[in-house]
Amino acid sequence: MASASAQAAALSAEQAKVVLAEVIQAFAAPENAVRMDEARDNACNDMGKMLQFVLPVATQIQQEVIKAYGFSCDGEDSYLASDSCSGYPLSSSGAPPFPGDVG
């Protein structure tokens, strides 16, 4: 895991912009646009179903791009990157604290 946090810390702002642009392009690709449309249709505008159908497809599309930059597909690296940026320690549950909880 130490290498994952080192990877996250080594990502410059310029590199992050490049990765983000590639993720946006991936969502615009015709095959991914179809996948997202199908997921939205299956969700029927229901928030619970959106989490069940749309979120996994969106996550998979994003992961296909970021794995080329050395991030794993288990989601751990992106979590570490966001946590290392917060500057706050994790709570006992493993989740970052809410801003109001930091004293």
Side-chain angles (χ1 to χ4, degrees), residues 11 14-24 65-66 69 71:
L11 189 66
E14 202 57 41
Q15 290 169 320
K17 289 177 187 177
V18 170
V19 173
L20 179 58
E22 289 184 26
V23 169
I24 292 169
V65 174
I66 67 169
Y69 290 88
F71 290 92

Side-chain angles (χ1 to χ4, degrees), residues 6 17 19 22-23 32 34 40 52-54 59-60 72-73 78 80 86 92 94 96 98 100 102:
K17 289 177 187 177
V19 173
E22 289 184 26
V23 169
N32 290 333
V34 168
R40 278 190 217 101
Q52 182 181 0
F53 295 114
V54 178
T59 300
Q60 186 179 39
S72 68
C73 288
S78 59
L80 289 171
S86 71
S92 60
F98 287 104
V102 178

Side-chain angles (χ1 to χ4, degrees), residues 23-48:
V23 169
I24 292 169
Q25 286 178 340
F27 277 100
E31 64 275 8
N32 290 333
V34 168
R35 290 171 62 198
M36 289 296 292
D37 287 341
E38 288 173 354
R40 278 190 217 101
D41 289 345
N42 288 334
C44 300
N45 215 18
D46 177 277
M47 184 56 72

